[in-house]
Amino acid sequence: GFLGPVNDPEARKRKLSAELANGRLAMMAIIGMLFQDGLTGSAWGDWALYTDSPLRAFENELGVQAPVGFFDPLGMAKDGDVEAFKRRRATELKNGRVAMLACMGYIVPEYTHFDGFCSTSQGLLFKDIPNGLAALKAVPGVGWMQIILFLGLIEKGLYTYDPTRAPGDFERGGVLGVPNGSSMMDGPDKTKKLNSELANGRLAMMAIIGMFFQDGLTGSAWGDWALYTDSPLRAFESELGVQAPVGYFDPLGLSKDGDKATFMRRRSTELKHGRISMLAAMGYMTPEITGKFPGYLSYSQNLKFADIPNGLGALSKVPGAGWLQIAGYMALCENTRLDDLSSVGWGSDIKRGTPGDFGFKVLTSSDPAELKKKLNAELANGRLAMMAIIG
């Protein structure tokens, strides 16, 4: 060897394994070095040397703030087009400012309204106009025409776009948008305030969308769930299995159609899979702890229970006739009933509206609260067992 012969087999194996590991690491490292060197002209990838990056044109712009820095996950600025960036920034500022005003427009009317009439001809007082989206129907059509005309005058007459100025900076717009008002002196304080405006505008855009969504669903700007009576999920929010911390958990929206029969079928299936998984999990653990049954599984094949391995290895050991017996017993349990309930056979629990109830009252109680607690525990344990057996 390069470092002389190694006679100890264990030491030789350790050194050869180290060589392989180091070689793999070096292959990844050299690719990284080549990539950094190609971009920056330095093997150590100093970002300051990567002058050809299209993002360099925008890394010192307003809005580049911790913790994400220059945030462009869709790569919209990767072409380095300065004019396109300025247009998008102006649009962002405008939407942010409108969103901040809109959020205030949701909040302020909860506390106070203008005095007097919104429309004297219709006898409509300002205090009679509801908050939120409901105001869209209450405000007269002429009122909306006035609002749109006012916005147009502001857009085209007062705050006109000037490509020679910074995005969102209007000649006749002072601090806080006051026409012909005072302006801020250049310096760190101005940069801080302009960054704050961008950050607050971004937050307001998210906030107003949330308010619209809540208002549309519940009729309330503050999204009281109790008011969302049309939700298809309301049919199932009091069902078993709706437990803390997630409540009614349906991330794929399988129950959004509100179909109760389908929900019952899925709940029956969930319970059945959970029960089988709990038995399966016990079937993995019990033979490891208590051992196997005594005697023979198959006399004809001289196969003892002790000869059957634990886990998936048992699949190839159990004779075909044994699997037929198992499948037959499962079909018998599935399609026959040993009680005096009116519905019999597959799906009888669903027909009665009590998924998973087959008359075998192991988990029962005369106390409704205690019974619900036990049935919820069965669902929770079944869900855990399904994850456990897959693992």
Side-chain angles (χ1 to χ4, degrees), residues 336-344 348 352 357-360:
T336 63
R337 299 296 306 279
L338 301 176
D339 56 46
D340 57 356
L341 296 173
S342 58
S343 298
V344 177
S348 58
R352 291 196 322 276
D357 182 5
F358 296 104
F360 188 55

Side-chain angles (χ1 to χ4, degrees), residues 303-380:
L303 182 63
K304 296 181 178 181
F305 284 106
D307 298 330
I308 305 294
N310 195 13
L312 296 177
L315 296 177
S316 59
K317 287 290 186 179
V318 176
W323 285 114
L324 285 174
Q325 292 174 24
I326 293 171
Y329 176 73
M330 292 171 66
L332 182 69
C333 291
E334 183 77 19
N335 290 285
T336 63
R337 299 296 306 279
L338 301 176
D339 56 46
D340 57 356
L341 296 173
S342 58
S343 298
V344 177
W346 185 88
S348 58
D349 60 323
I350 304 173
K351 296 170 188 174
R352 291 196 322 276
T354 54
D357 182 5
F358 296 104
F360 188 55
K361 303 294 186 181
V362 175
L363 298 175
T364 189
S365 174
S366 58
D367 182 358
E370 184 66 20
L371 176 61
K372 183 176 180 180
K373 178 181 176 182
K374 289 182 176 181
L375 293 176
N376 271 325
E378 180 192 25
L379 265 170

Side-chain angles (χ1 to χ4, degrees), residues 75-93:
M76 300 183 72
K78 65 182 179 181
D79 57 2
D81 188 330
V82 175
E83 288 304 315
F85 177 83
K86 290 177 67 176
R87 177 178 59 80
R88 293 189 183 111
R89 172 50 53 81
T91 303
E92 179 186 23
L93 280 165

Side-chain angles (χ1 to χ4, degrees), residues 81 87 89 188 198 212 215 227 247 257 262 280 286 289 295 300 324 347:
D81 188 330
R87 177 178 59 80
R89 172 50 53 81
L198 268 170
F212 285 156
D215 198 346
L227 299 175
D257 56 4
T262 302
T286 302
I289 300 169
S300 61
L324 285 174

